[in-house]
């Protein structure tokens, strides 16, 4: 296909056809729930349907195709999972992949694409145990990396940008006041999404709750903590409900702020979902850069828990500032 130039007029049929090509490129790197993986292709009409019109509209207007991605919230407080509280090679690899994906889109559509990283860390930092100081440092470093690595297709947006205030509790309160949902309604939705559920939204809510509870439990199981595992699990189940309410409120705010954007997600999605699950390193991985460390193998980078990679024959690599960056596996030959 001849590359569509920025100044060229595009017919509705051309825009629709090109939108399909763009979405197929993105869906090469999507994350899907297991039950959908074997029966769905990158050109699946059902998967394209929720997003096709937004992409085609951008093409008709010769605008960048805009994606929003809630994520990069801040490093897990559990040092058995991560190297520290600042972004490291794990985030660098993810940011570079997202920028490269936009470059791939630009190969077939000259205005290209952009990804707005809508950091949700401030939305629930108090729930997951990330200090405000560490979160601020993380956000500043993400912006610095985007600038330093010349990742021109990427930008950030976070709760701090809504109102220039430093009372983060107030900012979270206002978010829930404007976009929050009823806790009991959420609990009913999660319960309906269990075994034998039919409604996709209920299933997604249940899956999100279970996954978030698991991550919260893992984050609290750090060396030196004194609570029993059962007490931590009970506490994290309640925290998961609150985190989901805030996350959903953030999603609604993002949708209002960026109504023309295609929604990406770090979580696997079902066929035909309203979001496109995305592989942050361009490969399938069960974890995220903020819950793991980057490990350089002879086939590229993967993500692993810090405690797991330390059991391997590996060495820690420092960055140009003398900070822990990633691990390299040492050849056995």
């Amino acid at each position: 296909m001849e590359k569509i130039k920025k100044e060229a007029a595009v017919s509705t049929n051309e825009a629709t056809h090109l939108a399909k090509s763009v979405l197929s490129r993105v869906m090469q790197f999507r994350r899907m729930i297991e039950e959908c993986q074997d029966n769905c292709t990158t050109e699946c009409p059902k998967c394209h349907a929720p997003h096709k019109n937004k992409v085609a509209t951008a093409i008709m207007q010769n605008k960048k195709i805009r994606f929003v991605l809630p994520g990069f919230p801040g490093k897990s407080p559990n040092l058995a999972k991560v190297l520290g509280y600042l972004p490291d090679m794990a985030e660098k690899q993810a940011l570079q992949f997202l920028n490269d994906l936009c470059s791939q889109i630009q190969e077939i559509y000259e205005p290209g694409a952009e990804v707005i990283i809508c950091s949700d860390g401030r939305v629930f930092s108090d729930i997951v145990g990330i200090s405000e100081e560490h979160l601020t440092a993380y956000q500043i470093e993400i912006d610095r990396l985007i600038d330093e690595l010349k990742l021109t297709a990427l930008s950030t947006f976070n709760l701090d940008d809504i109102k220039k205030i430093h009372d983060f509790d107030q900012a979270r309160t206002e978010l829930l006041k404007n976009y929050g949902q009823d806790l009991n309604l959420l609990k009913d939705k999660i319960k309906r999404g269990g075994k034998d559920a039919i409604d996709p939204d209920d299933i997604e809510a249940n899956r999100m709750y279970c996954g978030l509870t698991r991550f919260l439990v893992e984050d609290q199981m750090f060396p030196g903590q004194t609570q029993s595992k059962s007490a931590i699990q009970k506490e994290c189940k309640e925290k998961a409900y609150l985190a989901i309410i805030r996350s959903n409120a953030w999603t609604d705010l993002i949708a209002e702020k960026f109504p023309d954007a295609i929604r990406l997600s770090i979580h696997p999605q079902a066929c035909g979902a309203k979001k496109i699950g995305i592989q942050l390193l361009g490969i399938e991985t069960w974890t995220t850069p903020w819950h793991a460390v980057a490990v350089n193998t002879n086939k590229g980078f993967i993500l692993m828990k810090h405690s797991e990679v330390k059991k391997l024959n590996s060495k820690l690599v420092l960055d140009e500032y003398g900070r822990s960056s990633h691990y390299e596996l040492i050849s056995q030959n």
Side-chain angles (χ1 to χ4, degrees):
M1 177 186 296
E2 184 179 355
K3 183 177 178 179
I4 298 295
K5 296 186 177 181
K6 188 170 184 177
E7 66 274 11
V10 183
S11 70
T12 302
N13 287 340
E14 288 174 323
T16 300
H17 185 66
L18 186 53
K20 178 180 177 181
S21 297
V22 168
L23 286 169
S24 294
R25 291 230 173 177
V26 175
M27 290 186 180
Q28 292 180 82
F29 306 105
R30 63 181 169 167
R31 301 191 70 202
M32 298 196 73
I33 60 174
E34 289 185 14
E35 50 265 42
C36 293
Q37 291 175 358
D38 295 333
N39 301 311
C40 193
T41 69
T42 59
E43 298 184 358
C44 171
K46 184 178 178 181
C47 290
H48 284 210
H51 321 289
K52 183 172 61 178
N53 287 343
K54 287 185 176 180
V55 178
T57 297
I59 292 170
M60 288 287 292
Q61 297 174 351
N62 277 325
K63 292 181 177 180
K64 285 182 180 291
I65 298 164
R66 175 177 284 178
F67 297 90
V68 291
L69 174 63
F72 294 83
K75 286 289 194 182
S76 164
N78 189 345
L79 292 180
K81 300 173 73 173
V82 299
L83 290 170
Y85 65 85
L86 289 175
D88 49 42
M89 182 60 74
E91 277 83 2
K92 285 184 182 180
Q93 290 294 308
L95 293 171
Q96 188 68 63
F97 165 73
L98 292 171
N99 197 76
D100 289 347
L101 179 58
C102 293
S103 297
Q104 289 189 37
I105 293 172
Q106 193 170 28
E107 291 174 2
I108 58 173
Y109 174 60
E110 188 168 308
E114 63 176 333
V115 176
I116 302 172
I117 297 169
C118 300
S119 175
D120 47 8
R122 193 77 74 190
V123 175
F124 42 70
S125 55
D126 57 326
I127 295 176
V128 299
I130 303 176
S131 75
E132 302 294 2
E133 293 78 12
H134 286 179
L135 182 53
T136 297
Y138 182 92
Q139 291 180 167
I140 291 172
E141 184 68 6
I142 288 290
D143 285 333
R144 190 193 67 79
L145 287 173
I146 289 173
D147 182 61
E148 180 185 87
L149 300 173
K150 295 179 172 59
L151 306 178
T152 55
L154 306 185
S155 61
T156 60
F157 175 77
N158 53 58
L159 191 61
D160 306 36
D161 296 321
I162 305 299
K163 286 190 176 181
K164 299 299 182 180
I165 59 175
H166 296 288
D167 186 340
F168 302 123
D169 287 331
Q170 180 186 341
R172 287 186 282 262
T173 297
E174 290 188 16
L175 175 68
L176 289 177
K177 178 181 177 181
N178 295 326
Y179 301 96
Q181 67 183 123
D182 182 83
L183 175 60
N184 290 326
L185 292 178
L186 174 65
K187 288 184 175 182
D188 289 342
K189 191 177 189 66
I190 291 171
K191 186 176 181 179
R192 290 196 306 269
K195 187 177 179 181
D196 301 323
I198 299 175
D199 186 280
D201 289 340
D202 291 347
I203 295 171
E204 172 62 18
N206 182 275
R207 183 181 292 111
M208 184 177 184
Y209 172 74
C210 293
L212 184 55
T213 300
R214 183 177 69 253
F215 274 122
L216 286 172
V217 170
E218 288 180 352
D219 284 351
Q220 294 304 309
M221 297 293 289
F222 53 85
Q225 67 81 25
T226 57
Q227 286 183 289
S228 67
K229 186 173 182 179
S230 60
I232 290 174
Q233 287 174 329
K234 181 178 180 181
E235 180 181 294
C236 288
K237 286 180 179 179
E238 292 305 311
K239 284 184 175 181
Y241 288 125
L242 300 178
I244 291 173
I245 286 177
R246 293 193 193 175
S247 178
N248 289 343
W250 183 237
T251 293
D252 290 345
L253 185 152
I254 292 169
E256 183 179 282
K257 184 75 175 179
F258 307 106
D260 62 335
I262 296 90
R263 174 72 151 78
L264 300 178
S265 173
I266 63 169
H267 304 291
Q269 300 295 313
C271 179
K274 298 175 184 177
K275 310 171 190 175
I276 302 175
I278 195 74
Q279 303 168 357
L280 286 182
L281 268 66
I283 57 173
E284 183 55 64
T285 178
W286 58 269
T287 189
T288 65
W290 44 92
H291 281 104
V293 300
V295 182
N296 194 4
T297 72
N298 59 1
K299 295 182 180 179
F301 281 95
I302 61 173
L303 298 177
M304 296 180 65
K305 290 181 182 179
H306 192 191
S307 59
E308 293 177 350
V309 70
K310 287 197 296 184
K311 297 176 183 178
L312 304 178
N313 189 17
S314 62
K315 65 176 181 179
L316 178 65
V317 178
L318 305 182
D319 65 15
E320 63 269 34
Y321 303 103
R323 301 186 306 223
S324 298
S325 171
H326 63 281
Y327 279 89
E328 286 187 356
L329 293 184
I330 300 173
S331 174
Q332 301 296 321
N333 296 330

